[in-house]
Amino acid sequence: MIAFRNRLCLLVGLVGIGVAAMAQDKQIIVRAMDARSGKPLANQHLLVFGGESAEAVKQHKKQYELMTDKDGLATLMLTPETQLLQVWVDWHVLCQSEPNSKSFSVADIMASGLNTPNTCSSASQKAVPGHLVVFVRPAHFWEKMRQ
């Protein structure tokens, strides 16, 4: 009876550890790239909106603020319920059509990596699982004034 109870306690403990590991935050590496030159953007402020749905992202239900390092990289820790993302780089314009209406799947980013569209040039990056590459260009004077 004692051996059975010990095994049962061990099994419950292992299941608990497994559930806790699955519920942990997800980590995504965000890389900010100059869409025209293809070079990383160092020391840039990123604003990330996340949520379970496109509507939650549009409503800015969950916000994350990040700073890129010298290689244009920033680490984003997401809660398990975050399914979609939008990333914005201060004083830059996203190189994609209708950026406010586009959200990117966390599952796709984790599985195979993802690059945002680059309508500003032909610069590209190879997609790497767990990485999101955001292509932007510097904002023009009047675009900055509207922000």
Side-chain angles (χ1 to χ4, degrees):
M1 184 66 171
I2 293 174
F4 174 75
R5 186 176 51 177
N6 288 343
R7 288 184 186 152
L8 183 62
C9 288
L10 177 62
L11 178 63
V12 168
L14 290 174
V15 168
I17 290 170
V19 168
M22 287 175 25
Q24 287 181 353
D25 293 348
K26 301 172 209 165
Q27 177 178 309
I28 291 176
I29 304 299
V30 180
R31 171 172 259 173
M33 301 287 292
D34 183 308
R36 293 177 178 166
S37 69
K39 294 184 179 179
L41 295 172
N43 306 313
Q44 296 295 312
H45 178 257
L46 307 180
L47 184 57
V48 180
F49 299 118
E52 303 95 32
S53 67
E55 190 60 34
V57 174
K58 285 180 188 177
Q59 294 176 358
H60 305 165
K61 293 281 184 176
K62 187 76 175 166
Q63 297 180 22
Y64 306 89
E65 290 192 48
L66 308 170
M67 281 297 284
T68 61
D69 63 12
K70 64 180 177 57
D71 298 316
L73 301 173
T75 302
L76 175 61
M77 297 299 294
L78 297 171
T79 56
E81 59 273 359
T82 303
Q83 302 298 314
L84 297 168
L85 297 175
Q86 284 184 352
V87 180
W88 301 87
V89 182
D90 280 356
W91 306 112
H92 288 78
V93 175
L94 296 170
C95 287
Q96 54 188 300
S97 61
E98 301 179 34
N100 285 326
S101 65
K102 292 202 180 182
S103 297
F104 300 98
S105 165
V106 170
D108 291 345
I109 296 166
M110 298 300 290
S112 57
L114 196 95
N115 295 340
T116 64
N118 182 1
T119 59
C120 297
S121 78
S122 62
S124 65
Q125 283 280 306
K126 183 179 183 210
V128 176
H131 289 235
L132 172 63
V133 178
V134 180
F135 289 101
V136 298
R137 65 168 172 78
H140 300 299
F141 175 77
W142 289 113
E143 290 170 327
K144 288 180 187 178
M145 295 302 288
R146 282 183 267 162
Q147 288 181 348

